[in-house]
Amino acid sequence: MPAAHTACMTATPYADFHARSLAERDAFWAEQARRIDWHVPPQQICDTSRPPFARWFVGGTTNLCHNAVDRHAARRPGDPALIWVSTETGQEKVYGFAELQAEVEAFAAMLLAQGVGEGDRVLIYMPMIPEAAFAMLACARIGAIHSVVFGGFASSSLASRIEDATPKLVISADAGSRVGKRIAYKPLLDEAITLSAHKPAAVLMVDRGLVAFERVAGRDLDYAELRRQHAGARVPCAWLESNSISYTLYTSGTTGKPKGVQRDVGGYAVALATSMDWIFGGKPGETFFSTSDIGWVVGHSYIVYGPLIAGMATLMYEGTPVNPDAAVLWRLVEQYRVTVMFSAPTAVRVLKKHDAALLKRHDLSSLRALFLAGEPLDEPTARWIAEGLGVPIIDNYWQTETGWPLLTVAHHISGVQAVPTRLGSPGVPMYGYDVRLLDEQTGEELTAPNQKGVLAIAHPLPPGALQTVWGDDARFVNTYWKSVPGREVYSTFDWGLRDADGYTFILGRTDDVINVAGHRLGTREIEECISAHAAVAEVAVVGVADALKGQVALAFAVLRDPGLASPALEAEVLKHVDARLGAVARPSRVLFVSVLPKTRSGKLLRRALQAVAEGRDPGDLTTLDDPGALAQVRALLGMSN
Ligand code: ATP
Ligand code: MG
């Protein structure tokens, strides 16, 4: 390919491009700001006068809903915008941009009629139905602050979020559904409101007709009825100063009490528009499919706002990857000609328990890449899905706080050399992120290859990242910016290593580092090694206090074939670790379990495993998906409760 070769020779190396994004920060982001519509253009690109706070595109006024919906509806009214598929109820529906705009305007009119205005909070506790996206976009349209809480969270988790967000209005539905099992939301919501000190003035209920529910007179409103009243309403977009608050969203709660991340309007819109092009390579008219949920940051950035801002159709899916069968995701890719897909390693590990031939059953010729994020992507899982699908698998590392990828490989920046993927690493720092690797104890910057340290970001965080912790600037400053000694940098609380070519490897969370007889090991290193054993489907490793060595590693493994669990297999897995990482990394035991404790977003809850193994109280378990997972561990360790 001589042409491509020539292009490569003249293209800027990515490292130079990244360096320019920092050195010429304001010029760089001023160019990117042109990707969105502004009512009033920004007066200042970045205000860094009050570190660690940063304000992007100061004085500019814009609107997320205008950029996601109206501007496309004006030019391409009939093009698909929102594709909704529920394998739970057997429904599929496609909304064009104009149709989406009409739904959002009617919804916005309902909110206004309830007295909801700019700066008011609206809590959204909903299943994956189109009305959830309408609700988010309607809030964005009128400048109300949405706070989406993952549907089906228990009432105590919901209550604490209602108290923190103090919403004027709550939007909910009768029920969600998971593999045919209906989960009634209304009793959970009613109980949460009873528990909460803050009482919302109104509850807007979408009745899907799945589960009967009781209405509280004077408080509960019916969506279908209000929609009839407000059909055809015109509600103009509110032009909001760039630093107005668009939403708050809680982190997954993997390490402790969830933090209420607060996001702006203009910086977020620009960051998403840029990432849709440069990182995801998505083009207007194409279809983006993220398997996440609107309750998580991936759902905010890459189900609702990002694809729509880019003029793409977004596929919103209510269902699991294995129902009615493990080919359902690929059936959707074929049917809707999905070009870019986004999922999580945990979903791929679920598929891995099924026949790989299912990956080949459908026509995947439209699909260009599968992006995975949320947890470390182990090499065996990455290989399995890459071989099965025959498209590039692109790991990307980020957080609720950052709003968009911090480490990945950015394949689509014109004039800039693509960074090849490297198994085991999400990639290199993205433009705009001044990423540093720091010694946890001294705060010193680690520049030599293969040193282990805390992954941090220097001030200012790029557009799209959190502004602060909702209602708690002190927590923002003290939690994120004061944890590395002697430096005011943003800590990701993840532990990493950078190789000689600049690829960063995530070794685990700083809480999960194990110190065995003075050797510091990331849980990820040991997990990666054990998961490479052919018998193992999934594994979690934690450090457990040990009188002699300080800490020892303890492993919990799910086998591909649970029938194979035996002392001989445990010995074999231990030998496997010895041979690859050395005896220092060898876990004291490998315990075989049928399920690992995970958060509702599919992340391993190592802190809970560790606490149980050390006989401590596991703390806040409100985000735990399946309580049975911990009961099993307690039983295995011979503990009562
Ligand atoms: P909390 O902050 O409440 O403890 P959380 O950190 O799990 O919860 P999220 O913001 O959903 O909440 O997750 C971000 C974290 O997920 C990252 O800090 C990192 O630990 C992990 N993560 C995300 N993507 C990747 C990836 N590609 N590789 C490795 N780890 C990842
Ligand atoms: Mg976190």
Side-chain angles (χ1 to χ4, degrees):
M1 293 191 299
H5 184 69
T6 322
C8 233
M9 301 289 285
T10 54
T12 311
Y14 176 78
D16 293 357
F17 174 80
H18 177 259
R20 185 192 151 236
S21 77
L22 302 180
E24 296 167 31
R25 183 191 69 211
D26 287 4
F28 180 91
W29 286 110
E31 270 166 47
Q32 302 319 310
R34 295 200 200 107
R35 293 177 183 270
I36 66 160
D37 284 359
W38 296 89
H39 184 63
V40 172
Q43 258 77 104
Q44 185 189 4
I45 299 304
C46 186
D47 171 9
T48 56
S49 61
R50 206 167 59 95
F53 299 92
R55 299 169 73 235
W56 285 94
F57 308 114
V58 183
T61 64
T62 185
N63 184 287
L64 277 165
C65 183
H66 168 85
N67 282 287
V69 183
D70 298 40
R71 63 169 176 159
H72 307 299
R75 269 173 274 158
R76 302 184 287 121
D79 277 13
L82 178 66
I83 301 166
W84 177 61
V85 175
S86 173
T87 47
E88 296 291 334
T89 60
Q91 290 163 286
E92 304 199 8
K93 181 161 168 60
V94 180
Y95 297 83
F97 276 103
E99 213 176 334
L100 176 60
Q101 184 175 332
E103 293 287 356
V104 171
E105 288 198 67
F107 212 124
M110 287 177 225
L111 296 179
L112 291 174
Q114 292 309 313
V116 175
E118 208 175 309
D120 287 333
R121 273 83 56 210
V122 172
L123 190 133
I124 299 173
Y125 177 69
M126 290 183 98
M128 289 285 284
I129 54 176
E131 290 80 1
F134 304 159
M136 291 168 74
L137 291 162
C139 287
R141 190 170 191 90
I142 63 170
I145 300 168
H146 62 66
S147 186
V148 181
V149 175
F150 179 73
F153 251 145
S155 45
S156 58
S157 319
L158 180 55
S160 65
R161 287 158 174 80
I162 292 175
E163 275 191 354
D164 193 54
T166 58
K168 196 173 236 182
L169 179 89
V170 174
I171 305 170
S172 191
D174 55 338
S177 181
R178 203 177 153 79
V179 201
K181 186 169 164 265
R182 306 302 192 219
I183 301 139
Y185 283 12
K186 189 60 168 36
L188 297 172
L189 175 59
D190 285 342
E191 197 193 333
I193 294 175
T194 306
L195 289 173
S196 163
H198 171 83
K199 311 289 178 199
V203 171
L204 178 55
M205 290 298 299
V206 176
D207 186 357
R208 311 176 68 186
L210 296 183
V211 171
F213 61 93
E214 278 173 31
R215 291 170 200 270
V216 176
R219 186 195 75 185
D220 294 359
L221 306 165
D222 180 56
Y223 173 75
E225 189 186 317
L226 292 182
R227 183 169 171 269
R228 268 192 302 276
Q229 281 171 24
H230 293 279
R234 301 311 309 259
V235 177
C237 289
W239 298 115
L240 306 166
E241 201 278 335
S242 176
N243 293 276
S244 311
I245 306 167
S246 58
Y247 68 74
T248 66
L249 175 66
Y250 296 90
T251 58
S252 295
T254 311
T255 53
K257 193 176 179 300
K259 299 160 282 272
V261 163
Q262 176 184 315
R263 190 107 53 217
D264 73 354
V265 173
Y268 188 50
V270 172
L272 291 183
T274 309
S275 70
M276 285 307 300
D277 180 10
W278 284 349
I279 297 175
F280 297 101
K283 297 189 178 51
E286 295 182 345
T287 303
F288 194 95
F289 177 19
S290 165
T291 67
S292 184
D293 187 282
I294 50 150
W296 315 125
V297 71
V298 178
H300 283 60
S301 293
Y302 300 113
I303 292 176
V304 179
Y305 291 112
L308 294 175
I309 286 174
M312 298 178 82
T314 183
L315 201 163
M316 183 177 187
Y317 174 55
E318 180 183 49
T320 71
V322 291
N323 189 39
D325 60 44
V328 61
L329 301 181
W330 321 115
R331 191 266 286 175
L332 296 176
V333 169
E334 173 178 328
Q335 187 177 339
Y336 294 104
R337 307 300 293 162
V338 171
T339 52
V340 188
M341 203 171 152
F342 194 132
S343 192
T346 182
V348 178
R349 286 187 204 112
V350 167
L351 294 177
K352 218 170 129 190
K353 292 176 187 154
H354 297 257
D355 188 356
L358 293 171
L359 303 176
K360 303 247 186 259
R361 195 203 273 171
H362 294 275
D363 171 13
L364 302 182
S365 57
S366 61
L367 191 65
R368 287 197 299 266
L370 169 63
F371 289 80
L372 296 173
E375 275 219 296
L377 175 60
D378 59 282
E379 295 191 22
T381 300
R383 280 216 176 80
W384 182 83
I385 190 76
E387 279 161 23
L389 296 180
V391 301
I393 303 302
I394 303 180
D395 190 0
N396 59 117
Y397 161 90
W398 48 298
Q399 310 182 296
T400 308
E401 292 87 342
T402 68
W404 60 283
L406 188 161
L407 300 172
T408 184
V409 289
H411 273 160
H412 305 276
I413 311 173
S414 74
V416 176
Q417 283 171 19
V419 177
T421 55
R422 182 164 293 185
L423 272 181
S425 163
V428 300
M430 283 299 96
Y431 51 87
Y433 284 103
D434 189 355
V435 176
R436 312 285 175 96
L437 196 63
L438 303 172
D439 184 290
E440 215 175 338
Q441 257 100 51
T442 65
E444 232 172 283
E445 189 156 357
L446 305 173
T447 47
N450 303 323
Q451 289 176 290
K452 298 173 185 175
V454 189
L455 202 62
I457 311 170
H459 175 74
L461 296 177
L466 80 166
Q467 296 179 298
T468 184
V469 172
W470 164 254
D472 200 346
D473 284 351
R475 189 169 178 210
F476 172 67
V477 176
N478 296 327
T479 306
Y480 292 103
W481 297 86
K482 302 268 186 233
S483 80
V484 184
R487 277 177 174 266
E488 192 160 271
V489 289
Y490 170 91
S491 175
T492 62
F493 297 102
D494 286 312
W495 221 50
L497 165 160
R498 192 159 44 211
D499 73 9
D501 300 318
Y503 285 88
T504 300
F505 291 74
I506 304 295
L507 302 177
R509 297 170 186 260
T510 50
D511 293 12
D512 294 337
V513 173
I514 305 179
N515 196 333
V516 186
H519 298 271
R520 292 168 69 71
L521 300 162
T523 48
R524 162 90 193 269
E525 295 167 89
I526 308 172
E527 285 170 4
E528 182 98 5
C529 176
I530 295 177
S531 74
H533 190 285
V536 175
E538 221 178 345
V539 62
V541 169
V542 297
V544 179
D546 181 85
L548 214 59
K549 298 179 180 166
Q551 266 186 321
V552 289
L554 179 62
F556 298 86
V558 177
L559 294 174
R560 280 168 183 280
D561 176 358
L564 291 182
S566 71
L569 182 60
E570 180 181 356
E572 195 187 304
V573 173
L574 292 173
K575 227 195 275 160
H576 174 88
V577 178
D578 265 6
R580 283 158 187 85
L581 292 180
V584 66
R586 183 204 304 148
S588 59
R589 299 252 357 233
V590 181
L591 299 172
F592 299 119
V593 292
S594 66
V595 55
L596 292 168
K598 290 189 179 172
T599 62
R600 300 295 296 261
S601 59
K603 292 159 185 282
L604 271 176
L605 265 173
R606 292 187 194 80
R607 70 174 160 91
L609 278 175
Q610 184 188 38
V612 168
E614 290 184 343
R616 286 182 290 115
D617 173 13
D620 186 352
L621 289 180
T622 50
T623 61
L624 178 65
D625 190 22
D626 176 2
L630 279 185
Q632 201 180 119
V633 169
R634 284 196 187 96
L636 271 174
L637 292 168
M639 292 169 179
S640 58
N641 251 335

